[in-house]
Amino acid sequence: MQMPSPQSRRWGDSLFRGLTFLAALGMIGLMTVIAVQLIRGSQLAFTRFGLGFVTGSRWDPVHGAFGSLPLVYGTIVSSLIALLIAVPLSLGIAIYLAELAPHRVRTPVSFLVELLAAIPSVVYGLWGVFVLVPWVRTALEPFLQKTLGWLPFFQGTYYGFGMLAAGIILAIMIIPTISAVSREVLLAVPNSQREAMLALGATRWETIKMAVLPYGRSGILGAVILGLGRAIGETMAVTMVIGNRPQISPSVFELAQTIASIIANEFSEAFDELHLSALVMAGLVLFAVTLLLNILARLLVWRVARVPEGVTRE
Amino acid sequence: MIAGRDQRRRFSNKLMLVLAAAATVLALLPLGSILLYVATKGLLALNWDFFTQLPKPVGEPGGGLANAIVGTLILVGLASVMGIPLGILTGIYLAEFGRGRLAWLVRFTCDVMTGIPSIIVGIVVYGTIVVAMKRFSAIAGGVALAIIMLPLVTRTTEEMLKLVPNSLREASLALGASQWRTTYSIVLRSAMGGIITGSLLAVARVAGETAPLLFTALSSRYWHTGLDQRIASLPVYIYTYATTPYEEMHRLAWGAALVLVAMVLVTSIAARLAGRRAGGGR
């Protein structure tokens, strides 16, 4: 058999290695380009408004006022509503799938939950506009006002569109993320923990509550933060149901706006430089916040289990 | 006394276990509702015209979204051509050569990049490509989608290559094969099933992306004419049609949603099958 000469072999090897090295460097380069582009694009707005950009409460492109507080408020509150709904449900799913479900139920249910993650965001939005919003307007909001209407959060006109609908749709969209990661975390809890509790005479639930959940605490917290990161960056579905009015109101029935949804709405229509720059700056804020949340979440989950592939993207 | 406490313990055990199962059912209700609506309303909208005609101007009945179906395929194709090879190369670097600080940094960047909202990718591609070309284009849309695919492909490639036993590499090297030969014909080949699965899942993921297309590919009412022109896509049509007041456009939006969901689901299921057949997948 003819062997390639050592010379040419070394050539091929270094070429191949160099090629993969370049690709890897490209990844870091790409991330740098993203950061630099956002910072450069927001320069104009930053010099004009400085910190006032975050504290100003009036977003009015026609009059050149770009205070992003209402967007930040909308982003935070809609995400919190989503977490409030999604966290208990996702933990229930994770516990059910990791601890209770028999094998022949586990696989199909896991598949169904994954399916929830595979549906495009814009299809959630479409369903939201024509199914969820009418239900919120005619059933949920009247019900909430009747039972909890003494609270300021549940008063006002029934639009259907608004903060509440956005929170609900976000909850549906982040359930797969939180439940998949928490399930991985629970599965990583060593069996000896359970056996010890059961041997002491604990019931199944006591075992879960006192041994399994505390052991996986940091990982579950990581899962919740990953879900939060996703809720904050989610764009299409929210844009379609939140009503797109940048305002701060205590009522969850009111129309609102998030950072991501205002970018989707106004970016392609922003003809004046300052408006465009303000939107890029809003994007920079979003980028920084999701970056931090992701790093934090991954550090928390890494200690316990591995994060399933690609569970975070909007 | 003790019996009473035991009873309470047993009761709360039952209650919590039932609640966990109920949470699962409750979370799957919206999935059922979405699939049901997309299937029924979508089927009502699908006909021959839907797949062959161009969209009609506002208010006119009929027409189809043929250009958007073709456009979505072109955009996803462009993204795959750019994103998959780069992702696989980076994955090879991480699995075969990557040691030390740089590899850690690449891996970390990759993980963090999966968490960046896709609309940010849209802004960045607008700022670089659209501004430079002075127009919205299929190229810009493809690049945006490729950026989203890249970290997904990289990480699955790395995971799959790591599953290949080291004895295979050693055997090949011992027979006198060069390192790149070993990686190319031995390691990559045995991990192929898993890599195809990962790539197809990434394709399915970006096929439904809307936000980054809004300011890169934009949309178009006509047939695709060139990669440097704006191009129609199903997700963007669903978004614009859902937010108009016209019945007819809502109908087409549901049809588009059905076609899109079918494309995404078929790709994901194909991905799983490819992985299973080759034995390397999950």
Side-chain angles (χ1 to χ4, degrees), chain A residues 191-256:
Chain A
N191 248 331
S192 53
Q193 299 280 324
R194 300 184 181 88
E195 283 155 11
M197 279 304 285
L198 289 170
L200 287 172
T203 62
R204 276 294 270 293
W205 167 242
E206 283 163 346
T207 308
I208 294 169
K209 186 176 69 175
M210 298 199 268
V212 178
L213 290 180
Y215 192 96
R217 194 188 296 134
S218 71
I220 292 171
L221 185 65
V224 172
I225 295 175
L226 268 184
L228 177 64
R230 185 168 173 198
I232 284 178
E234 170 52 45
T235 310
M236 295 322 294
V238 173
T239 308
M240 291 163 85
V241 303
I242 201 166
N244 296 312
R245 190 189 292 165
Q247 61 178 8
I248 298 175
S249 157
S251 170
V252 297
F253 294 1
E254 271 297 332
L255 308 180

Side-chain angles (χ1 to χ4, degrees), chain B residues 104-128:
Chain B
W104 180 87
L105 188 65
V106 173
R107 205 167 286 135
F108 185 76
T109 309
C110 205
D111 279 352
V112 167
M113 237 163 92
T114 38
I116 300 174
S118 59
I119 193 155
I120 302 287
V121 175
I123 296 181
V124 169
V125 173
Y126 175 90
T128 45

Side-chain angles (χ1 to χ4, degrees), chain A residues 163-179:
Chain A
M163 195 75 106
L164 187 60
I168 294 174
I169 221 163
L170 281 176
I172 301 171
M173 298 184 72
I174 63 175
I175 281 175
T177 306
I178 305 182
S179 61

Side-chain angles (χ1 to χ4, degrees), chain B residues 77-114:
Chain B
L78 271 176
S80 307
V81 167
M82 293 183 268
I84 293 177
L86 258 179
I88 292 180
L89 278 178
T90 313
I92 293 176
Y93 174 80
L94 288 179
E96 305 290 316
F97 311 116
R99 312 268 178 282
R101 218 172 271 173
L102 180 73
W104 180 87
L105 188 65
V106 173
R107 205 167 286 135
F108 185 76
T109 309
C110 205
D111 279 352
V112 167
M113 237 163 92
T114 38

Side-chain angles (χ1 to χ4, degrees), chain B residues 104-257:
Chain B
W104 180 87
L105 188 65
V106 173
R107 205 167 286 135
F108 185 76
T109 309
C110 205
D111 279 352
V112 167
M113 237 163 92
T114 38
I116 300 174
S118 59
I119 193 155
I120 302 287
V121 175
I123 296 181
V124 169
V125 173
Y126 175 90
T128 45
I129 298 180
V130 176
V131 168
M133 288 176 75
K134 296 203 176 68
R135 62 163 82 138
F136 300 100
S137 66
I139 290 278
V143 169
L145 296 186
I147 293 175
I148 293 169
M149 288 178 78
L150 195 56
L152 300 171
V153 177
T154 299
R155 287 307 297 231
T156 34
T157 303
E158 187 196 355
E159 296 292 329
M160 290 307 136
L161 293 184
K162 278 187 172 159
L163 289 180
V164 177
N166 248 333
S167 51
L168 267 181
R169 294 185 181 86
E170 284 156 10
S172 165
L173 290 171
L175 285 173
S178 60
Q179 193 175 12
W180 78 267
R181 259 272 166 228
T182 304
T183 308
Y184 180 75
S185 8
I186 308 294
V187 181
L188 264 188
R189 189 152 304 168
S190 37
M192 204 36 107
I195 294 176
I196 292 175
T197 303
S199 305
L200 281 179
L201 285 178
V203 166
R205 168 62 60 87
V206 300
E209 281 291 346
T210 318
L213 297 182
L214 289 178
F215 4 100
T216 53
L218 206 63
S219 191
S220 155
R221 276 190 31 221
Y222 308 102
W223 288 106
H224 161 73
T225 48
L227 293 183
D228 59 340
Q229 300 293 322
R230 35 200 278 194
I231 187 170
S233 60
L234 287 172
V236 175
Y237 261 106
I238 296 173
Y239 172 58
T240 41
Y241 276 9
T243 44
T244 61
Y246 304 101
E247 253 339 289
E248 182 65 15
M249 292 189 165
H250 297 165
R251 192 182 67 87
L252 287 173
W254 283 107

